[in-house]
Amino acid sequence: MKKSMAAFAAFALVCAVAQALDDTPANRNEQVDRYLKAVPVREMFADMSDQMAKNIPENQRQVFKDTLTKHLDVPAVEKAIKEAMVRHFTAEEIKALTDFYSSPVGKSAMKKLGAYSADIMPTIQKEVMKASGKAAEEAAKPAEEAPETPEEPEPEK
């Protein structure tokens, strides 16, 4: 029984390795093309803009949504996504992301990303503004308020 289990495990491992993608530029590009079909940029920005617009005054919502959708250069965004994914991920990693976002649970998660982003964006913006203010205060402090560094003793003559 143990030998059968070990043989099955070895066979499964060989099959998994045989199905692994070679990490070539061509395979990375092919997988990114699959990814962009599974995660269409225009749809992603439309959903995100709808959700994020809820945090913007009503009289400014349409302009905000148009900025993220109507006036968005989708080919430029897709090109940037493709270049970055090919540079940072292996073919197998891109395939795994695509497989996830193509699955029912991945599609469900993707539909919720806009609402999630809208929920956290006000806090992120507030915290970035606070951090920027603190950094500006710190940079504006006079040199005499900076911690003193000990002076080195003069060498003996």
Side-chain angles (χ1 to χ4, degrees), residues 127-141:
E127 293 305 320
V128 167
M129 293 303 292
K130 280 179 20 184
S132 296
K134 289 178 182 179
E137 287 174 14
E138 194 174 273
K141 284 185 181 176

Side-chain angles (χ1 to χ4, degrees), residues 144-151:
E144 64 267 5
E145 289 185 30
E148 289 187 31
T149 56
E151 292 183 27

Side-chain angles (χ1 to χ4, degrees), residues 62-102:
Q62 193 58 49
V63 171
F64 175 81
K65 288 168 67 171
D66 286 349
T67 300
L68 287 181
T69 56
K70 181 179 171 185
H71 302 297
L72 181 71
D73 186 350
V74 173
V77 173
E78 287 176 342
K79 181 178 185 266
I81 288 170
K82 188 167 188 167
E83 289 172 357
M85 289 185 84
V86 165
R87 183 172 39 256
H88 296 288
F89 298 115
T90 66
E92 195 67 32
E93 290 167 339
I94 300 166
K95 180 184 181 306
L97 288 169
T98 305
D99 291 347
F100 172 71
Y101 285 121
S102 298

